[in-house]
Amino acid sequence: PQFAVVRDWNKPIESEGNVMIVAIPSLLDPSMAPEGKHVLHAYTAGNEPIELWRGVERGTEEYNQLKEDRSQVLWNALEKVIPDIRDR
């Protein structure tokens, strides 16, 4: 099963962080994950502003913080499908 999470229907779907796709393929094929577990694939459209990442080196505190900040749009979408996901 796959879910689309739209933050704002009044914005174009290509707007930054507006549409996220969440798929849980192990619901269809349990052999993809250990018993009692699932595989989750979540992504946004390829519209992340690259300018935010220019000059930021992987592994630095700046990189890790930006990665954490920018991941929140995905976490928020996941919480709409799996409300307690951060507690798992």
Side-chain angles (χ1 to χ4, degrees), residues 1-2 22-33 38-42:
Q2 188 165 304
V22 179
I24 309 171
S26 54
L27 288 173
L28 298 175
D29 181 357
S31 71
M32 295 179 76
H38 285 285
V39 172
L40 189 141
H41 179 212

Side-chain angles (χ1 to χ4, degrees), residues 68-79:
E68 177 68 25
D69 293 346
R70 300 304 291 177
S71 72
Q72 294 311 302
V73 69
L74 281 173
W75 280 111
N76 294 336
L78 290 171
E79 287 172 326

Side-chain angles (χ1 to χ4, degrees), residues 11-28:
K11 290 183 179 180
I13 61 169
E14 67 272 7
S15 294
E16 180 186 326
N18 195 36
V19 177
M20 282 66 58
I21 304 300
V22 179
I24 309 171
S26 54
L27 288 173
L28 298 175

Side-chain angles (χ1 to χ4, degrees), residues 25-71:
S26 54
L27 288 173
L28 298 175
D29 181 357
S31 71
M32 295 179 76
E35 188 173 331
K37 305 289 182 183
H38 285 285
V39 172
L40 189 141
H41 179 212
Y43 59 96
T44 64
N47 56 10
E48 175 75 1
I50 193 66
E51 297 80 26
L52 294 173
W53 298 93
R54 285 207 171 102
V56 179
E57 286 192 43
R58 286 185 179 192
T60 64
E61 181 59 35
E62 180 185 16
Y63 174 85
N64 292 335
Q65 186 60 56
L66 184 57
K67 188 175 172 182
E68 177 68 25
D69 293 346
R70 300 304 291 177
S71 72

